[in-house]
Amino acid sequence: MDPLISRKALNRATLDRQHLLRRTGKTVIEVVEHLGGLQAQTPHTWYTGLWNRIEGFKPADAADLLLSRDLVRIALQRSTIHLVSARDCLAMRPPLQIVTERGTRGTYGKKLQDVDLDELAARGRALVEEQPMTFAELERDLAERWPSHDRHALGQAVRWLVPLVQVPPRGLWGRSGPVAHTSAESWLGFEAPPMTPAGLVLRYLAAFGPASVMDVQTWSGLTRLGEVVESLELVRFRDESGRILYDLPDAVRPDEDTPAPVRLMYDFDNLFLSHADRSRVITETGLAALRGFMGTNVQPRTILVDGFTAGDWTVTRAKGTSTLTIHQWAPIPVLEEVEEEGLRLLEFLAPGDKHEISVADRPSKP
């Protein structure tokens, strides 16, 4: 029988691989590649994800890499925008393109009937490579060629057919800009071999394991990975519910009594989005709090205490004072530690402001 791994041991293994048990001295590129990217559909909140993981991280450490094109933001896992290295952008997009295709065909397939997709891809690519374009601009120009078709469907089809990166200043710390796109190939100027599905699984386990087949499918958006997983030389465990979990043979799995420091996570951190069974980090109380955000396009910024969800946090700014509010989902026994981490986070988010901490005994609202 496969050996049992407890929920707390599973928690510690995942936090260790996520660089959340201790901050790492690795470079931004090394961390981003190890994590398989950070979900980054918001322009700036993902910077907190790097601050949580990298010792001494400063916003310019990532913003400069966006400007130099060593980092990019592109639709990958689950067809959501991720921050990835230039190498991973080109390598991960081919095996994950089917995820965007599936969603696009399901939503817009009927509206794309009679459209030559090869011509659409070529025309869309030419337009965004001539100059980066917003979807509104791209759709307007595509409508000149296909005036009887839904222009939004045309634009989304180009998003599926052509790897589109969001270009700066979008995503730069403290700056804003239009959501403009160009092709990954023209932006990066080099080629990289595509990653195989097996390569994706191994990358996932290195950052999120031990995990089930359903877990890796949840992270990637891909289906039918059972045969891929079974073909690899992995070790197996079973969790407290009897699920089979797979892992890299040489991966570190810390003792379940390993201390886990307080962490104030960003809203779309993949720690919470990359497992079919999220109980390794989210408690029953946490699930109840998260249900208050269902139906919105908002996720709370979650607080981890002893490795598990214990509340969420918000920041408000008025008259030069930034206030971080700790929203307790249940009484937090180490509230002082959360307050201290909150002050450190405010130094990162708003270094020129005065800083205050407040505490609320209820979840925040979307």
Side-chain angles (χ1 to χ4, degrees), residues 51-73:
W51 177 82
N52 273 323
R53 292 170 166 92
I54 300 175
E55 189 69 39
F57 174 76
K58 297 178 178 60
D61 297 340
D64 289 349
L65 293 171
L66 282 171
L67 285 171
S68 66
R69 309 188 186 189
D70 293 296
L71 290 177
V72 294
R73 294 167 63 241

Side-chain angles (χ1 to χ4, degrees), residues 161-189:
L161 296 164
V162 181
L164 297 178
V165 298
Q166 292 189 12
V167 302
R170 188 73 173 178
L172 297 182
W173 183 259
R175 296 178 62 181
S176 186
V179 189
H181 303 81
T182 189
S183 73
E185 296 88 348
S186 66
W187 184 249
L188 298 176

Side-chain angles (χ1 to χ4, degrees), residues 116-128:
D116 184 321
L117 295 180
D118 290 336
E119 181 186 357
L120 176 60
R123 192 175 187 88
R125 180 183 289 277
L127 287 168
V128 298

Side-chain angles (χ1 to χ4, degrees), residues 78-156:
R78 306 180 296 280
S79 195
T80 55
I81 299 295
H82 274 65
L83 176 81
V84 291
S85 71
R87 291 186 295 263
D88 277 356
C89 169
L90 297 172
M92 295 175 73
R93 172 65 187 216
L96 293 173
Q97 181 158 325
I98 185 64
V99 182
T100 302
E101 176 183 353
R102 187 192 314 130
T104 306
R105 285 190 181 277
T107 304
Y108 302 104
K110 293 183 179 178
K111 297 179 179 180
L112 293 169
Q113 290 180 351
D114 303 323
V115 175
D116 184 321
L117 295 180
D118 290 336
E119 181 186 357
L120 176 60
R123 192 175 187 88
R125 180 183 289 277
L127 287 168
V128 298
E129 289 183 353
E130 182 177 353
Q131 65 176 31
M133 305 180 80
T134 66
F135 275 117
E137 294 167 337
L138 175 62
E139 291 163 7
R140 180 199 61 212
D141 286 5
L142 293 172
E144 295 179 2
R145 168 61 183 86
W146 291 277
S148 62
H149 286 79
D150 184 296
R151 62 175 58 190
H152 186 59
L154 296 171
Q156 290 303 299

Side-chain angles (χ1 to χ4, degrees), residues 5-22 207-210 252-261 271 280-281 304-308:
I5 184 167
S6 70
R7 184 170 74 116
K8 194 170 182 182
L10 199 55
N11 171 274
R12 294 307 195 256
T14 308
L15 294 181
D16 186 53
R17 295 177 205 190
Q18 287 285 308
H19 298 306
L20 292 170
L21 288 184
R22 67 199 67 80
F208 294 94
V252 175
R253 289 174 286 276
D255 186 86
E256 66 176 28
D257 294 326
T258 302
L271 178 69
R280 69 180 65 201
V281 287
L304 295 182
V305 173
D306 192 30
F308 293 91

